[in-house]
Structure formats: C-alpha cells, structure tokens
Amino acid sequence: MQTRKHTIIKWCAFIFIFNIGVIGTVILAVSLRIVFDNDYSYLLFHESGSYLAGYVLVATGVSLMIVSSIGCTGVAKGNPPLLGLSVFCFVLLVAVQVTFGRVAYNELAPFHEKVHLGIFWAIQRHYGNDIANTTVIDLIQQGWKCCGLNTYASWSNSLYSKRHVPKGAWPTKTFIVPKSCCIDWQSDLCEEMHLDGIRNINTPVGHVLFMEGCGPKVIGAIDYYIGCLFGFGAVIVSFEIIATILCAVLLYELIKGAYLIKFRTIKSPESTDLIASEQPGIPPREIPVSHPSTTAYSSTRTSATVTGKAFSSLV
C-alpha cells in the first residue's frame, strides 16, 4: 500500500519529467526552423556550411523527449528498471549540456565574428543579387532602424551602389543606399548619398537615414537571445536535476519496499522450515506432535489392568 509520502514524490517526479518532455518538443520545433529555413539562418551560417547549432538543438530536443517518455512510464508504472534508466539518462544529459554550454560560451567571440562577416558580405556582394540576402538585410535595417554594417557609409563600396552609380563616375564620393536605410521611403533625398553628407547640405543626414550601423545592433540582439538561451538551459538543467533526485528517491523507496517484503517472507516460520529442508546437512526444526490415539490406548490398557486386579481379588 502506497504511503502519502510515496504518492507525493511520484506525482512531483511525473510533473517535472512531463515538463521536460514539453520543453524538448519546443526545442525540437525551433531547431527544425533553424536547420531547414535558409532565409531565417543565412546570415548566421553564411558560406560556412555549418549548421552545428541547429543539429545540436535537434539532438537535444529528441533526447529530452525520449528520456521524458522513459521517465514518465517508469514513474507511472512504478518500474524500477525504467526508473534506473531514466536516472542514468538524466545524469548523462546534465553532464553533456553543462559541457556544451561551457564550450558554447568559449566560442561566443568567434560566433560574433561570423555574424559580422555575414552582414559584411551580404552588403558588399550579395544585396540585390540574392533574394534571401536582400530580404534579410532589408528586414534588419527596417526592423532595427539601422543602415550598413557600422554606418551608412558601408554601402559606398558595395556592388549594389556601384551598379547604380553612372559609368565613368567611379571612383566618386557619391554612392547609393537601399530604401530600407531611409527613415521616409518617399523622400527624394534618401537613396543618393555622399561621403560628406547628402546632396542637400542644409538637411542633416540623421533626418533622412538611420545613422546607427546594423552590426552592433545585431550582435547586441544575439547576445541578448544567447543570454536568454543560457537562462533557459539553466532552467532545463535544474528540472533535470530535480527529476533525477525524485526518480532516485522513488527508486529507493520501491527497492526498499520490495526488500522488506522479501525479508519478512524469509523470516516467517514456514519459510524457515522450507529453506532448512531444502539445504542438505541442516536438519529441520523438530515440532512436537501429539498422538491422541496412543494416549487413548495407554489409558484404556491401564483401566483394563486395574479392572482385572479388582476382579481377581473378589474371586
């Protein structure tokens, strides 16, 4: 019969393990977006051919879902082998995730450089030639209200600008920026720029274009989301540690209960006699057995003797 303590531990373990499975499903959905949506991840993996981060997230999501299924089944059925397997898997997952988190933190600076180069080449070579790059850069510049990599002057050496500058006028201080750099898309002063300012010297550049570069803004946003990801990972690891402890306690309670039942069975008198009879060289415990027929026979014989002596004395 389950005690109240056992029931509470069982439900707490089931809830934590189920939540881990839900988190694994969310991670798997996000990771599949990263791996299969080229427009979404092009800048992050530009010309590197590496989707390691996406595949790691896929493996993490699948692993969490599988381990969660094993743990929930073991907890619901009270199965010690499944509980032991889930404890081992949770410990392994915690070790792997902590190690990967440490490695990812050390690789943060190279990742910043990769993003920086992705934006640089998207502006210098691919804008206007590649639909994916063009769409992503326009979304970044309009969404974060920025222009170019570090400033709007980043477009001065771009192939996009050179194509729109009249032939024979290059090199020149005049260059073209995309409409997505403009504060007002309808402005006539927007697209054609000059390294010393815009065509109308009486109009400040800051009234026409976004002045901040997109590189620092994108990297700052990435740092923010990576910080959230590390926090989310810390929550997952905490859930896994709690689930491991609860599963271990539940497993201990089940093993302890089974051992006590076996111990009481072995210590019963009937089991002791049975075990002794099956082991050679150990005589079974002698149990005194009463023989009512023998006693009755002795009493009858004594009565008959007394009766015979009395009869002979009369004669």
Side-chain angles (χ1 to χ4, degrees), residues 301-315:
R301 185 176 179 181
T302 304
S303 301
T305 304
V306 172
T307 304
K309 288 181 179 180
F311 179 77
S312 60
S313 64
L314 291 175
V315 175

Side-chain angles (χ1 to χ4, degrees), residues 29-51:
V30 174
S31 60
L32 290 176
R33 171 73 183 275
I34 292 176
V35 171
F36 293 107
D37 192 341
N38 293 329
D39 294 342
Y40 179 77
S41 57
Y42 188 85
L43 286 176
L44 303 182
F45 306 102
H46 176 68
E47 295 183 353
S48 64
S50 174
Y51 286 81

Side-chain angles (χ1 to χ4, degrees), residues 120 179 187:
F120 174 79
K179 279 284 189 182
S187 174

Side-chain angles (χ1 to χ4, degrees), residues 80 250-260:
L250 189 60
L251 179 61
Y252 172 77
E253 293 289 335
L254 291 174
I255 294 176
K256 180 181 177 181
Y259 176 78
L260 288 177

Side-chain angles (χ1 to χ4, degrees), residues 5-221:
K5 175 184 175 182
H6 181 86
T7 304
I8 293 175
I9 294 174
K10 182 176 180 179
W11 276 105
C12 289
F14 185 87
I15 291 172
F16 273 99
I17 296 173
F18 181 79
N19 287 332
I20 290 173
V22 173
I23 292 173
T25 304
V26 174
I27 292 176
L28 180 61
V30 174
S31 60
L32 290 176
R33 171 73 183 275
I34 292 176
V35 171
F36 293 107
D37 192 341
N38 293 329
D39 294 342
Y40 179 77
S41 57
Y42 188 85
L43 286 176
L44 303 182
F45 306 102
H46 176 68
E47 295 183 353
S48 64
S50 174
Y51 286 81
L52 179 61
Y55 290 130
V56 168
L57 289 176
V58 169
T60 301
V62 172
S63 300
L64 291 177
M65 293 173 62
I66 293 175
V67 176
S68 176
S69 301
I70 295 173
C72 287
T73 305
V75 171
K77 294 187 176 182
N79 190 308
L82 290 180
L83 285 174
L85 180 61
S86 63
V87 169
F88 172 78
C89 291
F90 278 132
V91 171
L92 184 62
L93 280 176
V94 169
V96 171
Q97 289 167 1
V98 170
T99 302
F100 182 78
R102 180 62 181 175
V103 173
Y105 181 80
N106 293 334
E107 293 295 325
L108 194 56
F111 182 71
H112 286 171
E113 183 65 22
K114 180 183 292 187
V115 173
H116 187 88
L117 288 176
I119 298 175
F120 174 79
W121 290 117
I123 292 174
Q124 295 298 318
R125 294 183 180 179
H126 303 293
Y127 188 87
N129 298 325
D130 182 82
I131 297 177
N133 275 276
T134 303
T135 303
V136 170
I137 291 297
D138 285 339
L139 288 174
I140 290 175
Q141 293 188 143
Q142 280 293 312
W144 280 322
K145 301 185 184 304
C146 57
C147 183
L149 180 60
N150 296 313
T151 65
Y152 67 93
S154 301
W155 289 96
S156 61
N157 294 320
S158 66
L159 294 179
Y160 173 81
S161 178
K162 291 179 180 180
R163 283 197 304 270
H164 291 79
V165 172
K167 293 182 179 180
W170 191 265
T172 179
K173 290 184 176 183
T174 302
F175 60 96
I176 302 297
V177 297
K179 279 284 189 182
S180 56
C181 281
C182 305
I183 297 176
D184 180 10
W185 282 35
Q186 305 300 323
S187 174
D188 294 333
L189 301 176
C190 177
E191 290 183 272
E192 185 175 341
M193 300 303 301
H194 194 277
L195 290 177
D196 297 329
I198 59 176
R199 289 181 300 176
N200 187 348
I201 194 171
N202 296 322
T203 304
V205 179
H207 292 176
V208 178
L209 296 180
F210 299 123
M211 297 299 294
E212 294 184 77
C214 295
K217 284 200 168 187
V218 171
I219 291 176

